[in-house]
Amino acid sequence: MFSAFNPKKGSLLLSEPFMLDSNFKRSVILLCEHNTETGSMGFILNHRSSLLLQDVVPNIENDTIPIYIGGPVEIESLFFLHHVPDKIPGGTHLIDNIYFGGDFNQVTFLLNANMLTVDEVKFFIGYAGWGNDQLAQEIEENSWAVHNKFPSDILFLTDGEDLWKEALISLGPKYAHVANFPQSPDLN
């Protein structure tokens, strides 16, 4: 079995190396909600879009803030994660020092004042979601490895392939070799 752990709020989901679904290919997802009865939701942390925050929020003056594709659900909605609750009030605590959402007016002010950086906040359009027991079934089918003890600073890495590899390596020796698999088995 690819996964040795059970998912929970704050877990990472690491896609198996040859996943065919282009939405989730080599994905690292942070679970923000997990409930076996109502379902789960989270954000793909490592699929950067071609959009910048300034493209979707016109009053943002900073033209360097990337937006990630959080998943295929509600792709017209903007979400964010951060690890600066002292700067951004109102967020929902997920795990360690990681928060989901918060006061977006404060975020706008801080970004425009250059008091918030890309290593403190990460923006997403859309999210990944699963109905009740859907995620458990996908884990059982070896689509995902669940990671519950990881260094939270990896969540803010900006290189998608590096994030997937670092997360797998941090799961331990059983998974570290998987990080070096080619994207296509045909290239092996």
Side-chain angles (χ1 to χ4, degrees):
M1 186 149 169
F2 189 50
S3 184
F5 305 104
N6 291 318
K8 61 184 181 180
K9 178 176 130 178
S11 292
L12 288 182
L13 300 178
L14 312 173
S15 68
E16 63 91 6
F18 305 119
M19 184 175 283
L20 298 177
D21 185 334
S22 61
N23 289 311
F24 300 107
K25 186 175 186 177
R26 300 228 169 180
S27 291
V28 178
I29 297 176
L30 177 65
L31 281 181
C32 297
E33 294 177 19
H34 177 68
N35 185 308
T36 55
E37 293 178 18
T38 59
S40 304
M41 72 82 62
F43 300 106
I44 301 171
L45 300 171
N46 61 326
H47 290 187
R48 188 173 171 165
S49 77
S50 59
L51 296 171
L52 297 173
L53 187 60
Q54 187 180 54
D55 296 330
V56 296
V57 182
N59 61 338
I60 296 291
E61 297 166 10
N62 187 323
D63 64 356
T64 64
I65 308 295
I67 294 180
Y68 292 79
I69 300 169
V73 181
E74 284 193 37
I75 58 171
E76 69 284 344
S77 297
L78 182 70
F79 305 92
F80 65 96
L81 298 172
H82 64 90
H83 62 93
V84 286
D86 53 320
K87 291 183 179 181
I88 305 171
T92 301
H93 181 254
L94 295 176
I95 187 171
D96 297 334
N97 63 339
I98 306 300
Y99 292 78
F100 168 43
D103 183 342
F104 193 74
N105 290 328
Q106 179 70 0
V107 170
T108 301
F109 169 78
L110 292 170
L111 286 172
N112 288 339
N114 292 316
M115 297 170 62
L116 192 62
T117 63
V118 293
D119 61 344
E120 295 175 315
V121 64
K122 203 166 196 176
F123 295 91
F124 306 90
I125 51 172
Y127 66 88
W130 295 265
N132 64 331
D133 292 328
Q134 182 182 3
L135 180 56
Q137 180 180 353
E138 290 182 14
I139 291 169
E140 192 173 303
E141 294 169 353
N142 292 320
S143 296
W144 303 102
V146 178
H147 196 345
N148 290 328
K149 294 182 181 180
F150 53 89
S152 61
D153 59 332
I154 70 170
L155 303 179
F156 293 89
L157 289 176
T158 56
D159 185 304
E161 185 77 11
D162 279 352
L163 176 55
W164 182 78
K165 286 181 177 182
E166 288 297 318
L168 275 171
I169 291 167
S170 71
L171 258 174
K174 176 183 172 186
Y175 298 91
H177 74 284
V178 174
N180 293 316
F181 284 6
Q183 287 203 22
S184 172
D186 298 340
L187 300 175
N188 200 3

